[in-house]
Amino acid sequence: MTEPGPREGVKPMKLDDLLGRNIYDVDEEPHIIVDYEKCDQCNAKPCLHLCPAGCYTLAEGRILFSYEGCLECGTCRAICPMDAVKWSYPKSGRGVFYRFT
Ligand code: SF4
């Protein structure tokens, strides 16, 4: 069995380049609220590894979240074992605008 290769005429792009094409209209009011006290109790911290936009980072051992680059995928809400993520879509017309070309 052969590995699927890149499609002819389609140039593969790096994730950062793809994300860089998006346009963000960031609301001053966060659409995701994280309960950091619950994060402190979490050992696994899957948000650090599964957020495709890298919105969750560690700063001096504690979760640091920034919503500005959020892709609105809902992964963090689904995978948080501590139920620490209060999630909603940004206000109408705000947030990420995907660009595919
Ligand atoms: S909704 Fe998706 S992109 Fe946004 S912070 Fe959660 S995991 Fe990251």
Side-chain angles (χ1 to χ4, degrees), residues 32 51-53 55-56 65 70-76 87:
I32 298 174
C51 171
C55 292
Y56 294 84
F65 173 70
C70 176
L71 299 171
E72 300 168 29
C73 68
T75 300
C76 54
W87 200 100

Side-chain angles (χ1 to χ4, degrees), residues 32-34 42 44-48 50-52 56 65 70 72-89:
I32 298 174
I33 305 292
V34 175
C42 178
K45 297 184 179 20
C47 54
L48 292 173
L50 297 178
C51 171
Y56 294 84
F65 173 70
C70 176
E72 300 168 29
C73 68
T75 300
C76 54
R77 175 177 59 174
I79 53 92
C80 178
M82 306 301 288
D83 198 24
V85 177
K86 187 176 168 206
W87 200 100
S88 60
Y89 283 108

Side-chain angles (χ1 to χ4, degrees), residues 16-94:
D16 284 347
D17 293 334
L18 285 167
L19 292 176
R21 290 181 169 217
N22 294 335
I23 296 172
Y24 299 87
D25 183 358
V26 179
D27 195 354
E28 62 276 356
E29 192 175 317
H31 64 287
I32 298 174
I33 305 292
V34 175
D35 184 335
Y36 295 108
E37 289 187 15
K38 288 183 178 178
C39 296
D40 288 343
Q41 307 302 313
C42 178
N43 291 322
K45 297 184 179 20
C47 54
L48 292 173
H49 310 289
L50 297 178
C51 171
C55 292
Y56 294 84
T57 55
L58 267 186
E60 297 179 9
R62 298 191 77 197
I63 289 288
L64 183 65
F65 173 70
S66 59
Y67 69 98
E68 290 85 351
C70 176
L71 299 171
E72 300 168 29
C73 68
T75 300
C76 54
R77 175 177 59 174
I79 53 92
C80 178
M82 306 301 288
D83 198 24
V85 177
K86 187 176 168 206
W87 200 100
S88 60
Y89 283 108
K91 280 186 221 147
S92 180
R94 293 293 182 89

